[in-house]
Amino acid sequence: MGLDVFFAKEFPDPEQHLLAHYRIESDEPIERAAMKIAAEESIGTWTEVKTTTTRVRRDLAAKVYNVKGRMASIAFPIELFDVQIGGIPSILSIVAGNLFGLRALRAVRLMDLEFPPDVVSHFKGPKFGVEGVRRMLGTGRDRRPHLGTIVKPKVGLTPRETAKVAYEAALGGVDMIKDDETLVNQKFCPLWDRLHEVMEALDKATGETGRKIFYALNITTGADRITDVAEKALENGANMLMVDIITAGFPSLQALAEDPSIDVPLHAHRAMHAAMTRNREHGIHMNVLAKLARLAGADQLHTGTAAGKMGEENEVAEISRINEMLRAPMNGLKPVLPAASGGIHPGLVPENVEALGRDIVLNAGGGIHGHPRGTRAGARAMRQAIDAHMMGASLSDYAEKHVELREALQLWGTRQDYRYA
Ligand code: RUB
């Protein structure tokens, strides 16, 4: 069996194959390097083995079918995938597994995956999706961006202090308060006390404002424990749950999404994604992680900002394409609400919403709590920036009559990556 087995003579049937698109750096011709990926990730190894049967060779060899410059596409026969038990981890072990370490490649980046409908149909996807979350907040008609805040400092506040920040943010106009990705159940802020205090504060805020406010409680843990923790959180009043999906693994998210008793939206944070997504030549494109998060059932997913503190400046078009993909039809799975987070403040609202769309959560931590008059004023300033954008007014015009926005603009302007003084 030569490498030729791993080259397609005709365009593969997308119903019968999972199509994976790679960008490859190699001293060998790209076609040959891609065939080595196809071999390693399907039925081959570095040499001929006598145990390869005709049926294995005929039905299970992955095939390179499209090579253009450094880009190569590989069709993996659907039979290679076990979605029942192996699930997303086993899909990744094939399309994003050993290939990253192959010596024949200098670098390789998995750019995209196209799933056959038979694979997608094994996943339930988001329970609520964009419309479900909007319905719960009553924003289905005006279609304004949702405003979220990450409690800051990132860690260190007690449950009561956290609740106070949440209450202030809620009265200022946020739709959602979330834990930071590093806070779960540390001694200084135990999970159950925090949930109790924050929900009590938000009930009070709802009583005063008449608005529902989500609290995304970070319950990041392994798939073996997460549904137990989630059930306890719901018994204690949680109305949204958050998971760090890369560090916890997609199955943790999927376990929540597929458990019918967990009937609250799921907020997916992507901490650690950049170890895979940031290098332009090697790793996994965020696009792929976003598709997997949708399969696994994220209602809301961090995908990046058009202006903020994270990522690269030239990524806006790519982020916007990811967001469009998350909102586009996918074999009946509900659309995901993207979250733009990291360094956002009122002055960056127009740029983010114009580039990323209105079906989005704008998350601001420092850009709310760092306001000169504190959290409530900071949340107001963010809401005013959103309102200005929705009315087609410029921030500076709107700020003439809105003092909180004016103060925020005086402090941060419309600059990105505001640095500590
Ligand atoms: C933002 C924050 C977010 C990350 C997420 O805080 O803590 O967790 O920035 O980034 P602040 P991403 O608003 O104070 O910067 O969404 O790119 O993964």
Side-chain angles (χ1 to χ4, degrees):
M1 179 176 79
L3 266 182
D4 291 356
V5 172
F6 303 103
F7 195 83
K9 297 198 176 58
E10 52 199 40
F11 199 85
D13 177 356
E15 307 247 315
Q16 294 306 318
H17 296 86
L18 197 161
L19 307 177
H21 308 288
Y22 299 93
R23 188 189 180 285
I24 298 170
E25 293 288 336
S26 175
D27 295 330
E28 298 189 27
I30 297 304
E31 189 174 286
R32 193 176 156 79
M35 288 193 282
K36 288 189 174 174
I37 296 178
E40 175 64 30
E41 300 299 1
S42 61
I43 59 162
T45 179
W46 55 275
T47 184
E48 308 269 336
V49 291
K50 295 192 172 52
T51 38
T52 311
T53 63
T54 313
R55 128 97 187 141
V56 165
R57 196 172 14 245
R58 189 192 60 220
D59 296 344
L60 297 178
K63 291 186 162 57
V64 176
Y65 67 93
N66 193 9
V67 179
K68 279 200 189 108
R70 311 235 145 251
M71 291 295 302
S73 299
I74 301 179
F76 292 88
I78 198 167
E79 251 198 279
L80 289 172
F81 300 96
D82 149 42
V83 272
Q84 303 278 7
I85 292 181
I88 291 178
S90 86
I91 294 176
L92 283 172
S93 297
I94 296 173
V95 298
N98 282 357
L99 65 98
F100 288 113
L102 283 177
R103 200 172 290 174
L105 316 175
R106 267 189 283 125
V108 54
R109 192 175 190 213
L110 173 58
M111 303 296 289
D112 198 3
L113 291 178
E114 292 176 65
F115 295 95
D118 274 1
V119 169
V120 179
S121 66
H122 278 90
F123 294 91
K124 295 193 165 61
K127 275 202 193 100
F128 296 87
V130 176
E131 295 315 316
V133 174
R134 281 200 175 284
R135 213 171 20 253
M136 292 167 96
L137 288 180
T139 60
R141 256 215 206 125
D142 67 14
R143 313 296 305 177
R144 68 168 169 79
H146 290 168
L147 175 59
T149 190
I150 314 111
V151 174
K152 298 284 170 175
K154 214 171 173 82
V155 294
L157 299 185
T158 63
R160 184 143 302 168
E161 288 163 344
T162 307
K164 191 162 183 299
V165 174
Y167 175 76
E168 288 295 306
L171 286 201
V174 304
D175 302 295
M176 172 185 129
I177 286 122
K178 66 178 276 300
D179 288 334
D180 225 318
E181 73 284 351
T182 58
L183 181 69
V184 183
N185 187 33
Q186 283 89 332
K187 283 203 182 82
F188 49 77
C189 198
L191 188 69
W192 307 117
D193 293 348
R194 183 168 83 246
L195 174 62
H196 173 75
E197 296 280 351
V198 171
M199 292 318 292
E200 201 172 78
L202 293 188
D203 282 350
K204 186 162 175 263
T206 297
E208 288 165 37
T209 62
R211 294 188 311 110
K212 181 180 174 83
I213 301 128
F214 284 122
Y215 171 42
L217 178 76
N218 185 7
I219 58 161
T220 297
T221 186
D224 55 333
R225 304 182 60 189
I226 203 157
T227 47
D228 290 345
V229 179
E231 273 160 22
K232 186 163 172 194
L234 297 197
E235 279 160 27
N236 286 282
N239 63 8
M240 183 177 267
L241 298 171
M242 166 176 157
V243 187
D244 296 346
I245 56 169
I246 308 297
T247 55
F250 291 102
S252 281
L253 174 67
Q254 196 180 343
L256 296 182
E258 297 194 353
D259 185 331
S261 65
I262 294 164
D263 56 352
V264 297
L266 303 175
H267 180 88
H269 196 286
R270 58 176 185 162
M272 202 172 88
H273 77 94
M276 289 174 268
T277 62
R278 191 163 189 177
N279 189 319
R280 314 290 296 176
E281 294 183 350
H282 190 80
I284 304 179
H285 199 287
M286 182 61 207
N287 187 33
V288 172
L289 302 181
K291 272 188 190 170
L292 294 172
R294 186 172 182 182
L295 290 181
D299 293 291
Q300 303 189 153
L301 170 70
H302 286 235
T303 58
T305 58
K309 75 176 184 191
M310 308 287 284
E312 311 297 330
E313 295 212 358
N314 55 5
E315 289 181 333
V316 182
E318 283 173 63
I319 296 171
S320 152
R321 267 199 300 278
I322 293 170
N323 290 358
E324 276 163 27
M325 175 280 290
L326 287 174
R327 301 176 192 122
M330 183 181 186
N331 295 94
L333 298 188
K334 291 195 173 79
V336 181
L337 192 58
S341 187
I344 289 191
H345 59 74
L348 301 182
V349 166
E351 197 176 334
N352 276 294
V353 181
E354 263 154 39
L356 306 177
R358 290 180 178 181
D359 274 328
I360 197 150
V361 186
L362 295 175
N363 268 338
I368 282 184
H369 313 295
H371 190 280
R373 280 192 296 121
T375 296
R376 193 183 302 200
R380 278 208 186 113
M382 274 297 290
R383 273 302 292 268
Q384 289 161 1
I386 292 172
D387 292 345
H389 183 83
M390 293 298 286
M391 290 165 58
S394 75
L395 289 186
S396 51
D397 284 352
Y398 207 74
E400 280 177 23
K401 292 208 171 115
H402 295 87
V403 62
E404 293 88 355
L405 179 58
R406 194 159 65 239
E407 289 165 344
L409 294 178
Q410 276 160 4
L411 178 58
W412 295 308
T414 51
R415 286 164 300 165
Q416 289 189 50
D417 197 14
Y418 178 84
R419 286 168 213 285
Y420 289 102

